[in-house]
Structure formats: structure tokens, C-alpha cells
């Protein structure tokens, strides 16, 4: 875990933090893929599109400055949406494969219909997956029982053979780590 207080977005701009890109990709690639799917881009095409967005971010992020009323996620979504449109335009100029007939496909939901709660749930789930290996089994079990499952600390402590204080310490350690990981990502 980095000892610096810089947010992930700040670390992305600095060449001395290459681990920040790895962390960013692991957090945001699933979201980029979801946005691509909502725009009608599927499978390998969605993966290619996510890579194109990440490459574009390499170039654009150093100049990114949050504007009043605009979030980082909104800025990222705009980049993804524009890349989807460009991709679909390029795809539209390619010849279609032969087919016996045309099928009707319902229009996918608009990506701007992803609400804030869904975005936060996805990001927190992803952060939990990423930080879990950094904690021992007893610490994670205490956190899981107490925080994620909402059970009383005393009950979790008795089940795991820990003190109630150890359960509270596990909660605080993991929540502190999660906050550090998402600092600057929730707008």
C-alpha cells in the first residue's frame, strides 16, 4: 500500500507510480466493458474498445482538471461514449457478413442510465476483490462477518475465537485501506 496521501488520480499522472495504472485498470476495466456493452459493443470488440479508452487516457490524463459540476467518472464516460461512437462508425463502413435474414435487436439501455448507486456498488465490489489478498484469513473473516454481513461484533468474535476488539480493528484496517483505494474516485 502506498504511503503517500496522493489519490489514485494524482498518482496516475506521475511516472514514478507505475502501480497506479495497474490499480486503475483493475478497478475501471470492468466499468468500461459494461459501458461498452450498454452501447451495443460486445465481446472482443468491447475489450478492444476498453483498451482504446485506456490508451487515450494515457494521453489525456496529465491535462485532466476537474471542472465545477463535472466528475471524473463523467469525463471518463464521455471518452468511452465517444470511442464507442467512433467504433460503431468504423464498423458501419465494413461489409456485413451474409445472412439469411435480418434479426431485430432491442436497443440497449442508454449508458447514462447507470445511476450513482450502481456505479458505487460496482466500484466497491471491485475494490473489495482487489484488497482481499492483502489481509489474512482471520482479519477478512472478521470484516466479512461484521461489516459485509452486518452481524454483531461479539457474535463474529466468538465464532472466530477473536476478541471483540480484534473484530473492530479488522473493520478499521480494511475500511481504511478501501478508503485509500477509492480516494478521489467517488465524485
Amino acid at each position: 500500500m502506498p504511503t503517500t496521501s496522493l489519490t489514485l488520480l494524482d498518482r496516475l499522472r506521475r511516472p514514478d507510480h507505475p502501480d497506479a495504472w495497474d490499480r486503475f485498470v483493475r478497478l475501471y476495466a470492468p466499468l468500461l466493458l459494461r459501458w461498452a456493452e450498454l452501447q451495443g459493443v460486445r465481446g472482443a470488440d468491447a475489450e478492444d474498445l476498453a483498451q482504446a479508452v485506456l490508451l487515450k487516457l494515457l494521453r489525456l490524463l496529465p491535462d485532466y482538471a476537474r471542472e465545477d459540476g463535472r466528475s471524473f467518472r463523467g469525463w471518463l464516460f464521455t471518452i468511452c461514449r465517444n470511442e464507442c461512437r467512433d467504433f460503431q462508425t468504423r464498423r458501419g463502413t465494413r461489409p456485413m457478413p451474409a445472412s439469411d435474414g435480418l434479426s431485430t435487436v432491442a436497443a440497449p439501455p442508454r449508458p447514462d442510465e447507470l445511476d450513482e448507486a450502481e456505479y458505487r456498488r460496482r466500484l466497491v465490489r471491485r475494490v473489495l476483490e482487489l484488497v482481499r489478498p492483502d489481509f489474512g484469513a482471520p482479519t477478512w473473516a472478521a470484516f466479512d462477518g461484521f461489516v459485509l454481513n452486518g452481524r454483531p461484533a461479539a457474535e463474529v468474535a466468538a465464532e472466530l475465537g477473536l476478541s471483540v476488539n480484534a473484530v473492530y480493528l479488522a473493520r478499521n484496517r480494511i475500511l481504511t485501506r478501501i478508503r485509500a483505494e477509492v480516494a478521489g474516485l467517488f465524485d
Side-chain angles (χ1 to χ4, degrees), residues 65-135:
R66 184 174 173 182
E67 299 172 12
D68 288 337
R70 298 210 52 211
S71 65
F72 171 76
R73 183 173 47 103
W75 180 73
L76 180 61
F77 174 75
T78 300
I79 292 169
C80 185
R81 182 186 61 215
N82 291 341
E83 285 296 313
C84 283
R85 287 179 184 161
D86 291 347
F87 174 81
Q88 289 168 335
T89 300
R90 286 189 306 271
R91 184 174 58 185
T93 60
R94 290 187 240 155
M96 295 288 287
S99 173
D100 294 339
L102 297 175
S103 61
T104 305
V105 179
R110 294 173 31 143
D112 55 353
E113 292 173 359
L114 289 175
D115 65 359
E116 185 68 19
E118 180 180 352
Y119 164 73
R120 288 176 184 258
R121 277 191 304 274
R122 285 178 181 272
L123 192 56
V124 168
R125 264 196 311 263
R126 189 67 181 136
V127 169
L128 287 172
E129 291 171 12
L130 294 175
V131 302
R132 184 168 192 206
D134 297 339
F135 296 95

Side-chain angles (χ1 to χ4, degrees), residues 4-61:
T4 179
S5 64
L6 297 173
T7 66
L8 178 58
L9 296 176
D10 291 333
R11 291 188 325 230
L12 288 172
R13 295 180 179 147
R14 298 182 50 190
D16 59 333
H17 288 281
D19 62 314
W21 275 106
D22 182 52
R23 179 68 59 177
F24 182 84
V25 168
R26 289 190 290 160
L27 282 171
Y28 274 90
L31 185 62
L32 293 172
L33 290 171
R34 176 72 176 139
W35 284 344
E37 289 172 0
L38 288 172
Q39 299 256 358
V41 180
R42 305 267 190 272
D45 288 338
E47 291 174 12
D48 289 346
L49 190 123
Q51 289 296 319
V53 170
L54 292 169
L55 285 172
K56 190 169 237 177
L57 283 178
L58 279 171
R59 187 173 39 84
L60 297 176
L61 195 59

Side-chain angles (χ1 to χ4, degrees), residues 137-159:
T139 302
W140 191 263
F143 175 78
D144 183 58
F146 182 50
V147 176
L148 300 180
N149 293 314
R151 295 174 41 218
E155 180 183 312
V156 172
E159 179 182 302

